[in-house]
Amino acid sequence: MITKKKIVQFSLICTACAGLLVSGSSLSLSAATTQVVSAASSKADQSTDVTSKLQLLGQPFSTPAYARNVWDMQVFDGKIYLGHGNSSNAQPSPNAGPIPIVYYNPQTSQFVTQKVTYTDPKTGKKSTEDATNEEQIDTFKILKGKLYIPGNDSKSEEWNFGNFYTLDGDQWTKYRNLPDGIHVYDMAYYHGKLLAAIGTDSAPKVLISEDNGANWKELAQIKGIGTRAYKFFEFKGTLYTAAILMPNNNIWKDQTHLLAIDKNFNVTQQQVSGANLLPGMTYVQTAGKTPYMKMGKTVVFKKQLAYIVGDVYNDAQLAPKALIVTKNITDPARTVTFADAGALPTDIITRPNKTYVLTYTKQADGSYINRVYMTKNLKKWTQILQFKQDTYAKSFEELNGDFYFGLGTDTKPVSESAGKILKVKASDLKGK
């Protein structure tokens, strides 16, 4: 949704670094969304190649290609939910939506679209729609055994409130009651209370509800850069909220804050630095680029935090740069190096005693090698599969040993394969 508020919000982000965006920036770990590597640097473990075994399950979205990016895949109740859409104001496929809620059912081999109900709090009138009133479904959250969708960017609604959605049986319920929630980027359940990380036109904020989302109030703001709170992660007894991050540089300070929330809901501004949190990444001024980075997918495994980081790209999307692991939030972290040193991580999931990460590497001929690595300790990573496509896999899931992949695309070039859902059966991975 393009409004004066959105223009002001972008301006606030840009001016947060002391108004010094006369020149842009690039990062030492690749300024582009994808990086091209030579054949020599992308040698594959051919024994794990499942390209010939891939099943194309379908391409269930009707939107233009960029809005078919599969931002998230989430297993819930034996089904695989698919996030898609585009909340950016910029081409291609700007301000998509309304975005339907779609899942794939492995039992029936069918894609299903679920209804959304909403009860107007003023009139009591109940309506049922075929889609959310959002431009993008960016993430699904399982909170206390229930499936939620944070309302990423509402479509054609006033910005005084933000939305969230909950699954009840086979139907979704929309709630429009998060004050100042222009963007609702993440949600968390923590010590009996529901929290929301929101983007506003003034500051990155965290909202809290003590009655399972019926009513909300502001808990705190993050003293950092920009106006958007992007990510929650719980680590070693503390719930953290992250906004924009700054890499190490010789121009501006790389210090910023995470909001740290303890079990009694006392909040502190936890100072962090790009040097520690974004190891190996440096900011170099380059015309037309910005220095802003953010966290993407995160997992906690073996008492360590693993997180994907990248550039803030195309408004609020993520251009991945690295997978990083840390034992403590204030200690120097380390960047994971895969067998293919050019691999860029796009998604990460955990299973009992295992963590899987999805990566891609763009080849010199324009194709992509997509790989899944597995680890039992976040140190040693073993490639378990790879496949070649004309674009890269944006997200993945695992269910009963089968792997599912959602294809994505960059803004340039745009791949018409975006939105394809692929499957590799567990039986095709045996012995590999």
Side-chain angles (χ1 to χ4, degrees):
M1 182 191 308
I2 303 174
T3 69
K4 289 183 178 179
K5 277 189 176 181
K6 203 157 191 177
I7 295 170
V8 168
Q9 184 180 18
F10 178 76
S11 176
L12 284 167
I13 293 175
C14 291
T15 56
C17 287
L20 295 177
L21 280 182
V22 176
S23 297
S25 70
S26 65
L27 293 168
S28 61
L29 294 185
S30 170
T33 307
T34 58
Q35 62 187 68
V36 178
V37 299
S38 66
S41 66
S42 60
K43 290 181 179 179
D45 179 356
Q46 297 297 329
S47 68
T48 68
D49 195 316
V50 296
T51 304
S52 64
K53 304 292 186 180
L54 285 174
Q55 297 180 22
L56 173 60
L57 302 179
Q59 195 173 19
F61 314 128
S62 60
T63 50
Y66 188 79
R68 297 198 299 266
N69 263 296
V70 188
W71 305 110
D72 192 26
M73 303 180 81
Q74 178 63 61
V75 170
F76 185 79
D77 192 28
K79 306 173 182 69
I80 300 171
Y81 282 83
L82 309 170
H84 57 114
N86 179 32
S87 62
S88 174
N89 294 341
Q91 294 287 350
S93 312
N95 307 112
I99 297 299
I101 302 172
V102 179
Y103 68 78
Y104 177 75
N105 188 337
Q107 297 298 317
T108 63
S109 300
Q110 298 291 319
F111 292 96
V112 178
T113 300
Q114 292 179 301
K115 301 283 187 179
V116 179
T117 64
Y118 174 64
T119 302
D120 190 309
K122 293 182 179 180
T123 65
K125 182 180 178 180
K126 185 176 181 178
S127 59
T128 301
E129 304 293 340
D130 293 328
T132 68
N133 205 34
E134 306 298 324
E135 296 178 350
Q136 178 172 327
I137 297 176
D138 189 63
T139 186
F140 294 89
K141 304 291 292 189
I142 300 176
L143 306 176
K144 203 179 178 182
K146 193 168 186 175
L147 193 60
Y148 287 74
I149 299 174
N152 184 274
D153 193 347
S154 63
K155 182 81 173 179
S156 304
E157 290 182 308
E158 294 295 326
W159 288 24
N160 51 342
F161 290 100
N163 306 326
F164 74 98
Y165 304 78
T166 63
L167 180 60
D168 303 290
D170 194 45
Q171 190 164 268
W172 288 82
T173 302
K174 170 187 171 182
Y175 298 91
R176 180 167 173 74
N177 61 353
L178 289 94
D180 209 18
I182 297 174
H183 303 281
V184 186
Y185 286 116
D186 204 358
M187 299 181 72
Y189 186 84
Y190 183 63
H191 289 282
K193 296 178 175 57
L194 202 59
L195 295 99
I198 68 171
T200 76
D201 60 2
S202 59
K205 296 180 181 180
V206 173
L207 305 182
I208 187 169
S209 172
E210 299 181 0
D211 50 14
N212 292 315
N215 296 278
W216 296 84
K217 62 182 180 180
E218 182 179 319
L219 175 66
Q221 299 182 11
I222 305 174
K223 292 181 180 178
I225 301 167
T227 63
R228 299 175 176 184
Y230 288 116
K231 177 63 64 176
F232 284 122
F233 60 92
E234 189 174 347
F235 187 46
K236 296 192 173 181
T238 299
L239 181 67
Y240 294 95
T241 320
I244 284 176
L245 304 175
M246 284 286 287
N248 188 27
N249 64 89
N250 296 320
I251 305 167
W252 305 322
K253 293 181 179 179
D254 68 343
Q255 283 82 22
T256 187
H257 296 93
L258 304 176
L259 189 70
I261 307 168
D262 71 14
K263 64 180 181 180
N264 297 314
F265 294 90
N266 299 310
V267 299
T268 56
Q269 302 289 336
Q270 176 66 63
Q271 182 169 298
V272 292
S273 70
N276 282 352
L277 210 57
L278 306 171
M281 300 185 188
T282 57
Y283 166 64
V284 180
Q285 284 186 311
T286 304
K289 300 294 181 180
T290 62
Y292 307 124
M293 302 190 74
K294 71 172 188 174
M295 284 186 175
K297 304 291 179 66
T298 65
V299 299
V300 175
F301 184 71
K302 302 291 185 181
K303 298 182 180 180
Q304 299 175 82
L305 177 69
Y307 52 100
I308 295 172
V309 297
D311 294 339
V312 178
Y313 169 74
N314 192 27
D315 188 21
Q317 317 297 7
L318 179 77
K321 299 300 173 191
L323 176 65
I324 296 174
V325 175
T326 189
K327 294 182 178 180
N328 292 290
I329 203 66
T330 56
D331 291 347
R334 61 180 175 86
T335 300
V336 173
T337 301
F338 300 103
D340 178 359
L344 296 174
T346 59
D347 203 356
I348 186 169
I349 59 176
T350 59
R351 294 296 183 266
N353 300 315
K354 294 180 181 179
T355 289
Y356 298 100
V357 64
L358 172 66
T359 73
Y360 69 86
T361 311
K362 189 173 184 179
Q363 305 300 292
D365 64 358
S367 65
Y368 292 79
I369 300 296
N370 298 276
R371 295 184 173 92
V372 173
Y373 293 92
M374 182 274 293
T375 183
K376 296 182 179 180
N377 55 18
L378 295 179
K379 293 181 180 179
K380 181 182 178 182
W381 295 82
T382 303
Q383 181 177 314
I384 64 166
L385 68 84
Q386 71 171 55
F387 60 90
K388 188 175 183 179
Q389 291 286 289
D390 62 351
T391 189
Y392 62 92
K394 178 77 74 173
S395 57
F396 77 136
E397 260 291 9
E398 179 273 335
L399 180 62
N400 298 326
D402 300 331
F403 281 87
Y404 298 82
F405 301 89
L407 300 190
T409 183
D410 293 332
T411 56
K412 292 181 182 180
V414 174
S415 173
E416 289 299 323
S417 292
K420 287 181 178 179
I421 308 300
L422 309 179
K423 177 183 178 179
V424 178
K425 293 191 294 186
S427 57
D428 291 324
L429 297 173
K430 288 180 179 179
K432 295 185 178 180

